[in-house]
């Protein structure tokens, strides 16, 4: 998500990301910045009300053995965000496929593979359904025959600038406002 923020050309919104941020460390990790100040995610979410929040978790968690712990932590993350941002639309994003050939060629970890990634996408889909939040299917948007195209990433995982711009266009075209989503 940091690369997305850097390379997509996005001009609006606030960046609440950190290198290596995961659903397992976001409660204590204090490198989330807003106007140059360090906060935990909970502290940062208490400062401003947002209309939309996009969850980009999962790729850093692929190496964890306990998938149930990921699912539980992902759901707890949604609950925590809702407690601070009751009027925001929270979007779950599936993981973008990886290019396993590029991952191996650049020395990437063995757990960075599309079979494992798809299992995590299933957990993200389940959490979105259970927590009743919109799901953005980035996997389908970026998959070509089940993999990320080679030109989309230098290391098989992180998107190049042009593909970050494609991701931004996808997000812009797949949004919904709070009242439409949760109207009685």
């Amino acid at each position: 998500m940091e690369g997305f923020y850097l390379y997509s050309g996005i001009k609006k919104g606030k960046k609440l990301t950190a290198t290596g941020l995961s659903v397992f460390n976001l409660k204590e990790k204090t490198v989330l910045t807003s106007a140059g100040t360090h906060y935990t995610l909970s502290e940062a979410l208490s400062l401003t009300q947002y209309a939309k929040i996009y969850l980009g978790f999962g790729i850093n968690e692929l190496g964890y053995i306990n998938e149930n712990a990921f699912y539980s932590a992902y759901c707890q993350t949604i609950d925590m965000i809702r407690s601070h941002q009751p009027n925001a639309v929270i979007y779950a994003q599936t993981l973008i496929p990886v290019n396993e050939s590029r991952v191996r060629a650049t020395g990437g970890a063995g757990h960075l593979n599309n079979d494992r990634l798809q299992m995590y996408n299933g957990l993200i889909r389940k959490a979105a359904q259970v927590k009743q939040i919109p799901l953005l299917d980035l996997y389908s948007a970026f998959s070509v025959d089940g993999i990320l195209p080679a030109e989309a990433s230098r290391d098989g995982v992180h998107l190049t600038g042009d593909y970050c711009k494609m991701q931004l266009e996808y997000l812009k075209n797949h949004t919904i406002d709070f009242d439409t989503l949760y109207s009685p």
Side-chain angles (χ1 to χ4, degrees):
M1 291 309 299
E2 285 202 357
F4 170 75
Y5 188 81
L6 289 172
Y7 304 122
S8 68
I10 195 165
K11 303 288 187 229
K12 295 181 179 181
K14 297 211 178 181
K15 171 187 158 190
L16 298 177
T17 68
T19 302
L21 185 66
S22 80
V23 293
F24 298 117
N25 68 12
L26 61 85
K27 290 179 184 173
E28 66 274 353
K29 193 158 184 164
T30 58
V31 295
L32 298 168
T33 61
S34 178
T37 306
H38 297 282
Y39 297 103
T40 64
L41 180 59
S42 183
E43 291 167 339
L45 289 173
S46 297
L47 298 173
T48 303
Q49 289 301 300
Y50 297 98
K52 300 172 192 159
I53 298 171
Y54 298 88
L55 300 181
F57 292 106
I59 201 73
N60 290 334
E61 291 86 350
L62 284 181
Y64 288 89
I65 295 171
N66 188 340
E67 295 85 18
N68 291 327
F70 169 77
Y71 174 78
S72 178
Y74 196 92
C75 289
Q76 289 170 14
T77 298
I78 295 167
D79 292 340
M80 183 272 294
I81 293 170
R82 270 197 178 135
S83 73
H84 292 290
Q85 298 289 321
N87 297 316
V89 178
I90 303 167
Y91 293 93
Q93 299 178 86
T94 60
L95 299 170
I96 294 171
V98 297
N99 184 298
E100 293 177 28
S101 296
R102 287 263 169 137
V103 169
R104 300 305 161 257
T106 58
H111 63 265
L112 294 172
N113 65 72
N114 287 308
D115 288 339
R116 185 146 181 83
L117 187 140
Q118 280 289 62
M119 189 261 302
Y120 270 68
N121 277 345
L123 297 171
I124 292 168
R125 282 184 181 91
K126 179 180 172 186
Q129 182 178 18
V130 168
K131 295 298 180 179
Q132 299 180 336
I133 65 172
L135 178 72
L136 299 172
D137 189 3
L138 294 177
Y139 183 89
S140 294
F142 285 87
S143 175
V144 175
D145 297 325
I147 64 170
L148 183 66
E151 70 275 6
S153 173
R154 288 177 187 84
D155 65 0
V157 177
H158 300 95
L159 296 178
T160 62
D162 286 343
Y163 276 78
C164 286
K165 290 174 185 167
M166 290 171 60
Q167 182 181 357
L168 177 60
E169 287 306 309
Y170 177 90
L171 297 179
K172 286 165 65 175
N173 291 310
H174 292 84
T175 61
I176 189 166
D177 66 67
F178 185 88
D179 291 334
T180 301
L181 182 62
Y182 296 112
S183 64

